[in-house]
Amino acid sequence: MFQIRCPYCGPRDEPEFKYGGQAHVAYPADPEALSDEEWARFLFFRDNSKGRYAERWNHAAGCRRWFNVVRDTGTHELVGSYRVGEQPEAAR
Amino acid sequence: MADRTAPLAAMEDRIAAAAFPGAALAAVPFVAQVGIRLDPAGPAAARVAEALGLPLPEANRVSASGGRRALWLGPDEWLVVAADGEERALVGILEDAIGADGAVVDLSANRTGLELSGPLSRDVLATCCSLDLHPRAFGPGRCAQTLVQKAGVLIEQRDADTFLLLVRPSFAAYVAEWLVDGMAGLAADLAAV
Amino acid sequence: MDPNEHALHNAPFLWRSPEPKASYEAVVVGGGLHGLATAYYLAKNHGMTDIAVVERGWIGNGNAVRNTTIIRSNYLWDESAAMYEHALKLWEGWTDELDYEILFSQRGVLNLAHNLHDVRESVRRVEANRLNGVDAEWLDADQVREFCPIIDVSPDARYPVMGATLQRRAGIARHDAVIFALGRACDALGVDIIQGCEVTGIDVVDGRVTGLQTSKGRIGAGRVGLVAAGRTSLLTAMAGFDVPIQSHPLQALVSEVYEQVLNCVVMSNAVHVYVSQAHKGELVMGAGIDAFNSYAQRGGLHVIEEQMAAGMQLFPHFSRARVLRTWGGIVDVCPDASPIVGLTPVENLYVNCGWGTGGFKATPGSGWVMAHTIATGEPHELNRPFSLTRFETGELIDEHGAAAVAH
Amino acid sequence: MRRLPDRGRVDHDQRVAFSWDGRAVEGLRGDTLASALLASGVLVLGSSVLMSRPRGIVGDGVTDPHAFAQVGAGDRTEPLMRMHEVEAHDGLVAESRLHQGILPTGPDPDRFEKRHAHADVVVAGAGPAGLAAALAAAEQGARVILADDHPQLGGSLLGEELLLDDRPAHEWARHVEDALRAHPDVLVLPRTTVVNVGDQGAVALVERVSEHVAPEHRHGRALRRLWQVRTRELVVATGATERSLVFADNDRPGVMLAGGVRGLLHRYGLVPERCVVFTANDSAYRTAIDLVGAGVEVPCVVDVRPDPTGPLAERARALGIAVRAASAVIGTDGDAEGALAGVRVVALDGGAEEVVACDVLAVSGGWDPLMDLHHHVGGRARWDAERLCFVPDGTVPGVHLAGSAAGVFGTEACRRDGHLVGLVAAEATGHGSAADGPDAPAARDAAEAPPADFVVTPGTDPVHAFVDQHRDVTIAGVERALGSGIRHVEHLKRYTLVGTGTEQGRTAKVNAGRMAADRFALPFAEVGVSNARPPAQPVTFGALAGRALGERFDPVRTTSIHPWHVAHGAVFEDVGQWKRPWYFPQAGEDMDAAVLRECRAVREGVGMMDASTLGKIDVKGADAGEFLDRLYTGVMSTLKPGRARYGVMCKADGMVMDDGVVLRLAEDRFLATTTTGGAAGVLDWMEDFLQTEWPDLDVWLTSVTEQWATVAIVGPKAREVMAALAPQLDVRQDAFKFMQLEEAVVAGIEARVARISFSGELAFEISVPMTWGLALWEAVFAAGQPFGITPYGTESMHVLRAEKGYFIVGQETDGTVTPLDLGLDWMVADKEFVGRRSLRRSDMLRDDRKQLVGILPAERLPEGAQLVDDADFEIPVPMIGHVTSSYDSAALGRPFGLALVRRGRDRIGETIYAPLQHGTVAVEIVDPVLFDQEGARRDG
Ligand SMILES: Cc1cc2nc3c(=O)[nH]c(=O)nc-3n(C[C@H](O)[C@H](O)[C@H](O)COP(=O)(O)OP(=O)(O)OC[C@H]3O[C@@H](n4cnc5c(N)ncnc54)[C@H](O)[C@@H]3O)c2cc1C
Ligand SMILES: NC(=O)c1ccc[n+]([C@@H]2O[C@H](COP(=O)([O-])OP(=O)(O)OC[C@H]3O[C@@H](n4cnc5c(N)ncnc54)[C@H](O)[C@@H]3O)[C@@H](O)[C@H]2O)c1
Ligand SMILES: Cc1cc2nc3c(=O)[nH]c(=O)nc-3n(C[C@H](O)[C@H](O)[C@H](O)COP(=O)(O)O)c2cc1C
Ligand SMILES: [Zn+2]
């Protein structure tokens, strides 16, 4: 069971959080301009890499904020958390 | 005309009977609660603080003054708590203070209270809640939103041995059930030593 | 008497451990059950013998040894039912065909319904199964009790059992034995099984695959099938394209060994339980998926605790059973909970993945259609709908909503 | 075995009486089930799993391959309990069952608890290393939890006769324990096994709280407690386990591990009559020495090493014990019961077998550091060719190994190591500095001679020489597997089952791996052993479930009106975690009758329903309208304050996600309602977009689901009831229109009243704070009496809405249905909203998609029934759709339903078929709106 640091509330147990998948995937600004293929990539394709991975979590049972975490998908090391709008370098 | 109903009315006896030398539980059925949303860096924060007569606290803290308390819920969210019946006045004050720079919502019926007190109250919570309540990590004047098993709760430490839990009424029986059961286990342990 | 005659496995010879040749007509990447079954049918159905299975560890070390061995074909959508039913029919002949006791036991699988929504969806599935030629029955709570007396069907349970679907031809098989059986069968047909051989690169020239870079050097290959389950994304990245899967931990556990008490497989979507009792007597239970991506082959204990609490709802007298061992696999989950089997943007490179939490049961069918695809360069009728391109058109085969647990 | 009156840590004056296989047996307070049985002369515990060979106790710890028993009676009976862990007590009931247990047949009468805890440092194991580590960390100020699976702290110190600082070691242990208990921030947990290590210091411990007392003395205490600890650092000081050697008939009762024999002496005062020692290392000499010291005859130590000359061997020789160097045991002889009577010894360079009579053979093949907890989180190990054991190969962040678990074997060295590791762990949590910490105690252990690399006695009979005694795997079995081409220990494990038993082959795995290495002519370091997995010791399902049973398993959510529903005989339906009244049967009514009555009342008179479970989200801010426009398929920003509009939301893939009515409370404030089951998901979804996609929007979201109770008054007479309840409210059609809302005092309660209808009838929905819900309900019920007001449940609600062709998310939709499939084209506005792009994908544009239609079947169909084109068909048959809703209608006087049918809207008027098991039913496709097509009734 992970212990995740909410950038607002501090470290809490994993069941307080909801996973949100890969971070930094924006809803397309102009969906109508996208081809079916481009739209499918947005809908269904997410990085599935091994190693450091920037992902989203929501502190569902706490402050309800979405934030990002850098985590190693090979070892479960949690490198750090950072807020929406920040870049992975900000993880701490 | 009929009156309001207390969310835990049906469990009153069990809650009272759970008391043991280590801890006691009591329902606090009605608590005035008003939610505030605003940008702490924006203009409304100071206005609200002034109107309430207390600062909007930092993360995981409670500020209190004159029977009102503000509990931090998130980076732009607080819950103002006061005695039952004050909600209407509070909403008025707060709406005036916030204006268009945030939101004020009366949430007095959205949560109900459970007060847990006694030297073993931390142990009771430890049977169903993973929050670290050790004095090094928590203490009077602190609050946190967390889980009692699967139910969300807002926990406020009131004094050295007393905790107020604010829970959604539909989860209140479940939360009380866990606390009462935890107390039974601790009471048995206490009796055995 | 030789004491080990009792042992389950009794083949005098299993497989060679050859060094790889410089090149093969076709190479299957991944020595899981699907990879082995693919190689087996390439050789058996398509007469291809210049082929190899390359496996980074030992064959079976992925999800093959980690699954809870539930086999059934009662899927909702026509495409799925056809695929899994094809597999189930093959399972029915495999012990004989492979000449190896794989302990396929058609003891029946119950999928429990706990609320009106479950009931509606269960009936929908039973009716669809029936009309697709898949055996399926709807049992009410009393019939459930009759079929599996140890389930707690009391109406005042937190999640009362309102009924269940039953597929009698469904059941379990001994996963380890299937690995040994397939490994042996492949070897006997001349397939090189190359273990300890990790694919680290895929050579693509002019849009066509020519070979593999491996920890044992380059292996030339006319055709390549990627059958690597949870690690598929890592491989397709080497070939320059993506598949829409996410790799998650899925945990399972076994108990110590008890006298037989559970005569069938019981699954429940609402309370997240699936359990059977294996031949030796250990209870085999699957837990829920961990929400996050991971390649670590382990998940959180809280998932198992939740699972146990759920199990106690249905089987209160399992309280004194003990968890002997827990483990996690890496399951490759597709957005629509259905697999991808077919062509890729790279010529002569084929992919078989996305079976997620439920591919063991598909093993023979998956191998069959994948072999067809590799051998002919065209999908088999059964896997045509399971293409990679369906995500563009939206022609998904969404087994989330309606198909009960996917194991 | 024989009990010495003055030895052991048992209370020789306190007898306990218990039952073994139905026989009365006695032991002493402080005995385990194992030691009590040995003291009572029970040598043969039972027979083995495959070969039915007699088996006895092998060690003195939980790695023993045979010491399992069925313990307890009735519903308390527990299979495969570790006999070395079960404390003998009055009334204990135990039975011989070594390999296959029996589960109880009823629910568990005992209590399993859980407890959360937090620590800076958790120390697993309280031997010299663990005690020293815990003390060092505690003295630095860290919050420490020390757990050991034994009732007393001390670890192996209790099973040895050792001096530490020239004092008996167990006294030192007691002294440390006292010091630890004096620290306010230290928790000492004896009888507690660390079973699982997870990520970021999540450690699970199982404490045996009252297991060691008879059920009647438990008085409500938990049997066991699962501690869920979050620690910053973990010190694994779990010691080492001894492995055996492989020779013919090495499974005979009486063949034991040397450390175990020593432990039986020092812990329980138990000794054999005549004991031969067989070893590949120095440690077993201690057994010989200690036994001789206790007056036991030790005819010889059989040592495989050519020249055993260490200080221990010298001491043994000095005591007159014969040391037979370069020799090995090749087989054993048994008595009538099959228990050990003698061993056959050979010189390794050849020569005749010699039989040495003995009742116990104490064997030591070497020591394996117990690193399970390190392995749980991916810690690696490497084979150390000198120490001849696996040792940790690096550590995982936050997990430290100390003492024998780290491959340190001297007692004082273990203590020193523990001390140093304790300081490092404390420092890592910000407590003190390891460099400037208190000095580590010295380690002056006598040197030991190097162990020998030895597993199998050459020339032994392979068919009766056991590698894994629990699983009955012999040399022959291993050989057969290796001969079949197996090249990997994980295949070896799965082929032979080595290491898969109840004790996970802890005494067997290394030997099996070394045999494989031999056979492949590979270095053992490359071959290794099959891996370890959690838990470190098996944990009952009950302990993992804890108190999450019955009503504590999952919340049962009810509204404030629920007590009334219960009092009035409602039958409930589970909707998510909510209990909603399904229908309100009156005396003698079944569900169908009740529903027909309820529906008729609503269509002809007036009904009332508890709608409080619907999700409600307060949406406030200058951009609230814009925000909702981006999420709903329709337009909300044009709504006027005081008006309401129905809305549908899609997921990004264009499939219907949720629906509900949106009310505009003020220029900058909306109230969005959601389905009961969708409430939490919709709020999360909204917050997600608000926080991550559109943080610039001035919008604030607050869940108010439970702030408001809602009572719907529905039917032609609703207006009269409403008027009676709120005399000041102008309820006339012109003043209070459909989709309008008003603030009003209703039955004396401040309320919000809206004219929203989910049935097509005139309806008012009254919302008051949840605590007033019951008061409101009762007032409505009272006010409605003159009009025969009828409470109705979800089933009638479903019938009424289906008559109007309204879909239900999750019933008509299943994640594959778009708003267009539902015929909601009119609601899909020409503007961007989440999911809109998906509706243009080629598959969504197909003209043969399934569409929502009404159906009139010849008889009532089961929901879920499939639909086909022709009455005559053969299986398999293509299905063109399925029945999503199906009811008997009071209003229509016939069965009807809704269905998703391919091209359905083009086929209205056609007949299709539902093939049921008892026959095929003709079904007419009709418009989904079957009742009041003009919509005249909603205004009363
Ligand atoms: C806990 C659990 C329970 C399950 N329960 C069930 C169930 O009850 N019923 C059911 O039907 N299904 C179940 N499944 C799913 C099922 O196990 C899988 O879908 C199935 O085993 C997939 O087979 P596979 O051969 O594709 O994958 P795997 O067996 O995982 O094989 C993939 C192979 O590829 C190898 N590989 C990966 N990358 C490389 C590389 N670069 N080079 C060389 N080799 C590589 C891997 O080492 C591995 O051996 C369960 C899964 C889990 C984890
Ligand atoms: N070659 C040898 O002579 C040799 C070999 C090994 C050990 N030893 C001796 O053994 C001692 C080792 O000291 P130590 O402190 O490292 O270990 P220890 O064996 O003294 O103590 C370890 C303790 O941890 C307990 N334990 C094991 N797993 C546990 C778990 N998961 N949860 C809770 N408790 C658990 C054990 O039951 C034991 O009580 C030394 O005295 C050493 O000299 C000697
Ligand atoms: C159906 C089934 C039955 C199993 N039975 C046992 C068993 O009796 N004993 C055991 O130790 N492990 C058993 N296992 C678990 C395996 O030992 C092992 O944990 C699993 O194959 C995952 O591999 P890993 O733990 O090596 O990663 C079983 C696994 C499965 C899938
Ligand atoms: Zn937070």
Side-chain angles (χ1 to χ4, degrees), chain A:
Chain A
M1 190 205 298
F2 294 164
Q3 187 186 44
I4 298 167
R5 194 184 69 82
C6 167
Y8 306 101
C9 305
R12 297 292 183 82
D13 279 356
E14 185 186 333
E16 292 192 13
F17 299 88
K18 195 175 139 182
Y19 187 61
Q22 187 183 357
H24 307 294
V25 182
Y27 195 86
D30 184 4
E32 294 302 320
L34 301 186
S35 67
D36 275 3
E37 190 191 336
E38 288 164 334
W39 180 247
R41 287 203 68 79
F42 162 70
L43 279 183
F44 298 122
F45 288 70
R46 294 292 179 272
D47 282 359
N48 189 31
S49 52
K50 188 175 171 197
R52 293 207 166 176
Y53 187 67
E55 63 192 12
R56 288 149 32 91
W57 291 85
N58 178 241
H59 193 187
C63 64
R64 293 196 293 126
R65 294 298 97 188
W66 283 95
F67 59 94
N68 302 324
V69 168
V70 175
R71 182 176 58 91
D72 190 310
T73 58
T75 62
H76 292 181
E77 181 201 358
L78 288 180
V79 179
S81 319
Y82 58 103
R83 300 172 187 208
V84 169
E86 294 178 337
Q87 291 306 305
E89 295 73 58
R92 56 172 198 91

Side-chain angles (χ1 to χ4, degrees), chain C residues 145 148-152 261-263 314-318:
Chain C
R145 188 196 293 115
C148 182
I150 67 168
I151 301 179
D152 182 0
V261 290
L262 182 59
N263 57 347
L314 297 174
F315 304 101
H317 47 285
F318 283 0

Side-chain angles (χ1 to χ4, degrees), chain C residues 29-35 54-71 75 197-200 227-232 235 238 250-252 274 286 327-332 352 355-363 406-407:
Chain C
V29 180
L33 291 168
H34 290 218
V54 298
E55 165 55 52
R56 65 192 282 274
W58 38 279
I59 61 171
N61 86 100
N63 292 333
V65 295
R66 298 192 155 68
N67 78 89
T68 48
T69 79
I70 300 172
I71 295 172
Y75 279 66
C197 179
E198 175 159 8
V199 172
T200 54
V227 195
R231 294 174 169 274
T232 303
L235 283 161
M238 297 171 197
L250 177 68
Q251 301 180 76
Y274 46 109
W327 63 89
I330 309 170
V331 293
D332 38 341
N352 179 338
W355 295 94
T357 61
F360 175 68
K361 64 179 70 66
T363 299
H407 308 285

Side-chain angles (χ1 to χ4, degrees), chain B residues 157-176:
Chain B
Q157 186 162 356
R158 304 281 288 128
D159 63 33
D161 282 340
T162 308
F163 296 85
L164 176 67
L165 280 66
L166 291 169
V167 296
R168 308 261 152 150
S170 70
F171 288 103
Y174 171 83
V175 170

Side-chain angles (χ1 to χ4, degrees), chain C residues 1-15 17 58-60 65-66 76-78 100 114-117 119-121 123-133 136 157-160 162 174-176 179-180 195 253 255-261 271 280-281 283 285 296-299 301 304-306 308-310 312-313 316-328 391-396 398 401-402, chain D residues 50-51 76-82 97 99-108 110 112 114 196 199 204 223 226 228 376-377 463 471-472 474 476-477 480 483-488 490-491 493-495 497 500-502 504 531-535 538-542 544-545 548-550 553-556 573-574 577 579 582 810-811 814-816 841-844 850 863-866 868 873 875-877 879 882 884 915-917:
Chain C
M1 177 194 67
D2 180 339
N4 295 287
E5 274 168 25
H6 304 270
L8 169 62
H9 310 291
N10 219 356
F13 189 75
L14 294 169
W15 56 81
S17 291
W58 38 279
I59 61 171
V65 295
R66 298 192 155 68
L76 175 70
W77 301 111
D78 303 348
Y100 202 105
H114 298 279
N115 54 44
L116 296 174
H117 179 263
V119 171
R120 197 178 298 124
E121 293 305 325
V123 171
R124 177 182 177 194
R125 193 156 45 80
V126 163
E127 292 300 318
N129 292 159
R130 237 174 21 87
L131 298 180
N132 268 324
R158 174 67 187 89
Y159 286 103
M162 300 182 75
R174 185 71 198 176
H175 62 299
D176 289 338
I179 297 166
F180 290 119
Q195 304 183 88
L253 58 94
S255 72
E256 296 177 337
V257 171
Y258 310 116
E259 286 193 350
Q260 290 290 335
V261 290
V271 299
K280 286 200 309 287
L283 297 167
M285 278 178 110
Q297 284 192 340
R298 62 193 159 81
L301 183 67
I304 289 175
E305 295 177 49
E306 179 71 18
M308 287 295 130
M312 298 290 291
Q313 298 297 305
H317 47 285
F318 283 0
S319 179
R320 299 294 175 106
R322 271 188 248 192
V323 175
L324 172 64
R325 192 172 164 104
T326 68
W327 63 89
F391 298 96
E392 284 170 31
T393 62
E395 220 167 339
L396 305 190
D398 198 333
Chain D
L50 294 178
M51 298 162 72
R76 284 197 166 83
T77 188
E78 185 160 329
L80 298 167
M81 297 273 278
R82 273 72 189 149
R97 281 200 155 259
H99 302 100
Q100 189 177 51
I102 298 180
L103 291 172
T105 53
D108 199 325
D110 276 318
F112 293 92
K114 290 192 194 175
N196 190 82
D199 295 305
L223 186 73
L226 184 79
Q228 299 173 295
H376 288 183
V377 273
V463 176
R471 282 285 192 220
D472 266 359
T474 62
R480 169 202 294 272
S484 70
I486 282 178
R487 283 290 169 279
H488 199 286
E490 295 287 357
H491 284 145
K493 156 182 158 175
R494 289 168 171 84
Y495 196 86
L497 301 183
T500 65
T502 306
Q504 292 284 285
N531 73 1
R533 284 281 193 177
V539 185
T540 51
F541 290 14
L544 288 163
L549 309 171
F553 170 57
D554 202 35
V556 175
E573 176 191 357
D574 283 335
Q577 292 169 323
K579 292 264 177 222
W582 187 12
Q811 183 157 344
D814 60 4
T816 70
R841 290 178 295 165
S842 61
D843 195 55
M844 306 302 120
K850 291 181 185 164
E863 286 169 353
Q866 297 288 335
V868 301
F873 60 85
I875 284 175
V877 50
M879 288 159 260
H882 77 284
T884 57
L916 303 181
Q917 267 161 60

Side-chain angles (χ1 to χ4, degrees), chain C residues 170-406:
Chain C
I172 55 174
R174 185 71 198 176
H175 62 299
D176 289 338
V178 184
I179 297 166
F180 290 119
L182 276 177
R184 189 176 76 125
C186 284
D187 184 84
L189 291 169
V191 177
D192 279 0
I193 295 175
I194 303 163
Q195 304 183 88
C197 179
E198 175 159 8
V199 172
T200 54
I202 297 178
D203 295 344
V204 178
V205 178
D206 297 335
R208 169 197 288 248
V209 70
T210 59
L212 302 165
Q213 302 295 330
T214 81
S215 56
K216 293 195 178 219
R218 182 176 192 277
I219 302 177
R223 289 146 190 264
V224 172
L226 302 179
V227 195
R231 294 174 169 274
T232 303
S233 301
L234 307 180
L235 283 161
T236 60
M238 297 171 197
F241 66 97
D242 290 335
V243 281
I245 60 172
Q246 297 281 287
S247 296
H248 291 278
L250 177 68
Q251 301 180 76
L253 58 94
V254 288
S255 72
E256 296 177 337
V257 171
Y258 310 116
E259 286 193 350
Q260 290 290 335
V261 290
L262 182 59
N263 57 347
C264 61
V265 181
V266 179
M267 311 176 70
S268 160
N269 217 4
V271 299
H272 305 294
V273 173
Y274 46 109
V275 57
S276 65
Q277 190 169 18
H279 302 80
K280 286 200 309 287
E282 69 270 31
L283 297 167
V284 180
M285 278 178 110
I289 201 162
D290 280 73
F292 47 80
N293 291 16
S294 168
Y295 288 90
Q297 284 192 340
R298 62 193 159 81
L301 183 67
H302 63 292
V303 176
I304 289 175
E305 295 177 49
E306 179 71 18
Q307 161 78 4
M308 287 295 130
M312 298 290 291
Q313 298 297 305
L314 297 174
F315 304 101
H317 47 285
F318 283 0
S319 179
R320 299 294 175 106
R322 271 188 248 192
V323 175
L324 172 64
R325 192 172 164 104
T326 68
W327 63 89
I330 309 170
V331 293
D332 38 341
V333 178
C334 253
D336 59 355
S338 287
I340 299 167
V341 187
L343 315 189
T344 73
V346 177
E347 210 180 318
N348 290 352
L349 180 67
Y350 308 95
V351 69
N352 179 338
C353 68
W355 295 94
T357 61
F360 175 68
K361 64 179 70 66
T363 299
S366 168
W368 184 285
V369 300
M370 185 65 180
H372 177 100
T373 308
I374 294 175
T376 65
E378 285 296 325
H380 186 278
E381 273 320 300
L382 288 172
N383 65 313
R384 195 177 295 282
F386 294 92
S387 71
L388 185 51
T389 53
R390 72 179 187 270
F391 298 96
E392 284 170 31
T393 62
E395 220 167 339
L396 305 190
I397 303 159
D398 198 333
E399 289 287 348
H400 281 126
V405 251

